[in-house]
Amino acid sequence: MKPCDLDLLTSVSAPTIHPDGTHAVVSATRPDFTADAYVGQLWSVPLADGGVPGRITLGFSDTQPRFSPDGEILAFLRSAPGSKPQLFAVPAAGGEPVQLTDSALGVSWFRFSPNSTQVVFTSRVPLHGRYGTVDGVGPGAEDPRLISSYKYRANGAGYTADKRVQAFLLDLPALDAEPWIEPAGRAKEALSEDAPERFPAVRQLTAANADASAPVFSADGKRVLFTAALHDGADEDLVSDVYALELSGGEPERLTNTGTGAGSLLGADTPTPSDDGEWLFFLASELSASGTDFVARNTSLYVMPSDASAPAVRLTDPENVDLAEGGIVPAGGSAVLVFNRTRGTVELLQINAWGEQQVLVSGPRVIQGAAAAAGAVVVSYADADTMGEVAAVEAGRLRTLTDFSARLRSRALPVPVEEETHPSRDGYPVHGWVVLPEGPGPHPVLLNIHGGPFAQFDCAYFDEAQAYAAAGYAVVQCNPRGSAGYGQEHGRVIKEAMGTVDLDDVLSFLEGVLRAHPDLDGERLGVMGGSYGGYLSAWTIANDHRFTAAIVERGFLDPLSFIGSADIGWFFSAAYTGADPDKVLSQSPMARVGEVRTPTLVIHSEEDLRCPVEQAQRYYTALKQHGVPAELLLFPGENHELSRAGTPWHRRQRFEHILRWWARWLPTPANQGETAGLSDAVVA
């Protein structure tokens, strides 16, 4: 894979299955260089053998498909170039999609009522005077913001208190009704106040100074269940709750963290009624007595009676099961499907209200989404050869139904990935992967470190590793202590001890790989990583001088300044590095920058609020002041998610600059010269 192949990387949404079980629908999305945006449409995927998937919409960006419970309607989100996503619906049998919303800041989530006549959805609601709500008042002319809280910004969203996520109710119109016509001329002049509106009326259900997330209807359709932090002191902890709101009116009822049973001090989300209407499931992680101790807290499945007549009960063991990805999918009766993050994979579990568990899908793949209907279970997944496909689950096996990665394979055949385990310095087993380039060695080696830290490298197709391997580099990546997927103890051991055993683990894994592969060049090494990976890369080159060059990207580099500048700084730094100043400095790459000798490329995004750009600017300046060869690469308009969700051209240019840097310090036959890998636009 080369940087110019990014537009071949098609990702697939969670599926929705028609209630009759005959076919599923997914959205297939890819980066597009022509539009410099992500484009995609909906595809219908027959479940019968021999069925041929087909594109069924032609929008610029159609996402989040969902069938109504009666199977008559297919709803989805659609956005036009430069516009916010809006809710659309089309008859499930086919036809012209009808736009249902015109929300100023777009629609982010929706769900049908049980009787298929209503939709609950979420949208950010801007305060008057902000975000274009007053003609002629742009961002630079808005009133000043008076801030008195910790939580006032979020990476990717910017300021949040002046545009809260609220829940809305919409009555579905007849989709075959006479279409709305824009009035013109005399008709426009004669319009009265009671003239027909273009879009159905909506009713705002929530209005608190807090985000209302993931709203769904209760099984009887009389209430809306959602997640929010409405309690006293919500600005000072990470606690969140499931609330129930009667559609007839009244105040939301708090269902979790009520001070009894298993529902105390949880960060709860994703309320999901069972198909039989008897149970309410939700996901949550325990936050300890402080309400802010989030470090390596696995996500568990909880259940309570739908009438809240008894407190919630935890159904999964947080030490061994982590359900942080994928949400909850009703699977008939009292059962649901959940997604367990484990050892570099994500497996699909079925769990009922009594805690009985069954592994439906496991193995070397990442299950990204699922749906169940009429006895059928369909998943979207990624593995070493694909970014996303759709498969039917049959007797614990997958029958793949699509081939969205065919174009990718035709132009850039995936490089095989080898799974390995090597002992750390204290004997602890470190699990990871090696991607070996084609051809004879000795190959230079890139040690790639993931972010988080409570995250994991997985076994799925990884564009970064593939691009570097295609350029002639062996890529080494592992899940050191501090990572997710190996139990809470594995993740919590670096609490107030960052840069200790995690550093030992990545270096020991690298050394193990070098011993196992004599065709790798142990004298030509690079280290790189983003976010926490940027932290550990910077920490590595302050403590170990074996590396020829380094890349430090969107790094957590100074825990002290992070506290006042990052959107999560008010709690993250203290949780991971502690509050004692001397102890904090003993874990700070910025405090040890004077010991760095390794040439370093620092990459950051100007709108990154998770690891603010000042972290990169100050680190880069300090490197220069200490005589270390260094460059600073800044991306305008991007945030912390640049490498995963940045604009296609910026993602391509990032790859090209990374390869240019490695060509300078670790040239290979496939990657050499000052402009190696650079497009004409970058060189100009």
Side-chain angles (χ1 to χ4, degrees):
M1 177 189 160
K2 297 179 174 60
C4 61
D5 296 327
L6 271 170
D7 62 346
L8 301 178
L9 301 181
T10 299
S11 59
V12 180
S13 73
T16 181
I17 301 181
H18 192 275
D20 66 8
T22 59
H23 63 287
V25 171
V26 296
S27 63
T29 304
R30 63 175 180 84
D32 185 86
F33 292 129
T34 302
D36 199 19
Y38 293 85
V39 302
Q41 296 80 40
L42 305 188
W43 287 67
S44 180
V45 182
L47 302 191
D49 284 332
V52 179
R55 197 187 320 260
I56 58 173
T57 65
L58 298 175
F60 178 77
S61 178
D62 296 341
T63 61
Q64 297 189 38
R66 197 165 192 90
F67 282 113
S68 60
D70 63 7
E72 296 296 316
I73 298 172
L74 176 65
F76 59 96
L77 300 185
R78 168 174 286 181
S79 57
S83 298
K84 301 294 185 182
Q86 304 294 342
L87 181 62
F88 280 70
V90 63
E96 182 73 17
V98 176
Q99 184 174 345
L100 301 179
T101 63
D102 188 30
S103 299
L105 299 183
V107 173
S108 53
W109 162 285
F110 72 93
R111 289 294 186 270
F112 283 99
S113 63
N115 63 7
S116 303
T117 64
Q118 295 178 307
V119 170
V120 61
F121 68 90
T122 58
S123 179
R124 290 194 178 274
V125 178
L127 290 180
H128 184 69
R130 299 200 185 278
Y131 306 104
T133 53
V134 174
D135 288 341
V137 179
E142 291 180 357
D143 294 338
R145 290 177 170 87
L146 180 62
I147 296 166
S148 58
S149 62
Y150 287 123
K151 304 176 185 177
Y152 65 93
R153 296 187 303 167
N155 182 70
Y159 293 103
T160 54
D162 55 10
K163 55 176 189 296
R164 291 296 191 186
V165 177
Q166 304 293 358
F168 294 82
L169 183 69
L170 177 151
D171 292 326
L172 286 166
L175 299 183
D176 59 354
E178 186 77 20
W180 185 85
I181 304 298
E182 175 78 38
R186 297 175 182 84
K188 185 174 183 179
E189 188 176 78
L191 278 178
S192 63
E193 291 185 0
D194 59 353
E197 296 289 340
R198 178 179 179 183
F199 303 106
V202 300
R203 175 159 66 97
Q204 185 171 335
L205 298 176
T206 62
N209 183 26
D211 291 343
S213 302
V216 296
F217 287 91
S218 60
D220 61 10
K222 296 180 180 179
R223 301 183 298 167
V224 164
L225 309 164
F226 63 94
T227 304
L230 305 180
H231 57 283
D232 292 340
D235 184 53
E236 299 177 357
D237 61 37
L238 304 177
V239 174
S240 57
D241 288 291
V242 175
Y243 284 87
L245 178 65
E246 299 286 341
L247 292 183
S248 58
E251 293 297 316
E253 177 189 0
R254 187 179 188 179
L255 301 182
T256 55
N257 289 311
T258 57
T260 60
S264 59
L265 292 173
L266 300 177
D269 61 30
T270 323
T272 305
S274 61
D275 279 338
D276 61 12
E278 297 294 322
W279 305 97
L280 173 61
F281 293 90
F282 63 92
L283 298 176
S285 56
E286 297 179 353
L287 297 169
S288 78
S290 69
T292 58
D293 186 2
F294 71 101
V295 175
R297 299 281 180 170
N298 280 346
T299 300
S300 299
L301 180 67
Y302 289 75
V303 70
M304 63 193 308
S306 59
D307 61 3
S309 59
V313 175
R314 191 180 68 208
L315 297 178
T316 57
D317 178 4
E319 181 53 43
N320 302 310
V321 176
D322 184 10
L323 308 179
E325 300 181 9
I328 304 175
V329 177
S334 63
V336 295
L337 306 179
V338 289
F339 307 80
N340 182 33
R341 180 169 61 174
T342 176
R343 293 187 58 81
T345 72
V346 177
E347 59 187 17
L348 185 68
L349 308 181
Q350 179 173 290
I351 305 177
N352 65 22
W354 300 274
E356 297 169 337
Q357 300 183 23
Q358 179 183 0
V359 178
L360 296 188
V361 182
S362 61
R365 61 184 62 87
V366 173
I367 304 300
Q368 300 167 321
V377 175
V378 174
V379 299
S380 54
Y381 74 93
D383 62 20
D385 297 321
T386 178
M387 287 284 293
E389 302 297 346
V390 181
V393 179
E394 297 174 344
R397 302 176 63 88
L398 294 185
R399 178 169 58 89
T400 301
L401 304 171
T402 61
D403 192 7
F404 288 113
S405 292
R407 289 178 61 235
L408 174 64
R409 290 196 309 276
S410 69
R411 202 161 90 187
L413 193 65
V415 179
V417 180
E418 298 187 12
E419 184 178 3
E420 299 185 6
T421 300
H422 297 287
S424 190
R425 293 174 183 174
D426 60 359
Y428 191 86
V430 185
H431 177 229
W433 294 264
V434 183
V435 186
L436 299 173
E438 294 182 351
H443 303 293
V445 180
L446 302 181
L447 173 61
N448 195 11
I449 306 174
H450 69 64
F454 198 57
Q456 65 171 6
F457 275 130
D458 59 43
C459 60
Y461 186 97
F462 186 28
D463 57 348
E464 303 219 9
Q466 292 291 323
Y468 307 147
Y473 301 96
V475 183
V476 174
Q477 51 195 43
C478 64
N479 290 327
R481 278 169 281 189
S483 304
Y486 304 82
Q488 293 185 137
E489 183 179 353
H490 177 94
R492 290 180 67 82
V493 70
I494 66 167
K495 180 177 171 61
E496 300 188 32
M498 293 182 71
T500 57
V501 294
D502 47 348
L503 176 62
D504 290 344
D505 288 357
V506 296
L507 293 179
S508 296
F509 187 82
L510 171 65
E511 292 162 357
V513 169
L514 293 175
R515 288 192 299 270
H517 298 273
D519 57 338
L520 302 186
D521 190 344
E523 300 300 317
R524 302 179 67 221
L525 304 174
V527 61
M528 62 190 303
S531 195
Y532 162 75
Y535 165 89
L536 199 53
S537 296
W539 189 251
T540 297
I541 58 177
N543 287 274
D544 192 303
H545 303 300
R546 77 180 78 179
F547 294 92
T548 306
I551 296 178
V552 173
E553 186 171 10
R554 61 182 185 277
F556 168 61
L557 303 174
D558 187 348
L560 295 177
S561 67
F562 193 83
I563 292 173
S565 59
D567 63 343
I568 61 172
W570 64 275
F571 67 88
F572 182 93
S573 286
Y576 263 109
T577 63
D580 177 77
D582 292 336
K583 194 170 185 178
V584 171
L585 289 176
S586 73
Q587 303 167 77
S588 169
M590 194 67 191
R592 298 278 300 280
V593 69
E595 299 172 45
V596 175
R597 300 291 180 265
T598 309
T600 303
L601 171 62
V602 182
I603 303 177
H604 223 94
S605 296
E606 292 183 351
E607 296 183 10
D608 191 336
L609 299 182
R610 185 57 39 85
C611 292
V613 69
E614 61 87 15
Q615 299 271 303
Q617 292 167 326
R618 294 175 55 243
Y619 184 73
Y620 161 75
T621 300
L623 290 173
K624 296 282 285 185
Q625 289 175 331
H626 286 91
V628 178
E631 294 179 359
L632 176 63
L633 180 63
L634 294 176
F635 283 87
E638 301 290 356
N639 60 49
H640 198 66
E641 301 304 309
L642 165 65
S643 65
R644 298 174 283 263
T647 60
W649 273 103
H650 277 164
R651 287 181 63 188
R652 175 175 175 173
Q653 290 169 328
R654 170 185 171 273
F655 266 142
E656 291 170 337
H657 274 288
I658 288 173
L659 292 177
R660 173 192 61 81
W661 180 257
W662 292 131
R664 176 181 175 184
W665 296 101
L666 293 171
T668 69
N671 186 49
Q672 54 187 318
E674 277 298 302
T675 59
L678 294 184
S679 64
D680 292 340
V682 173
V683 175

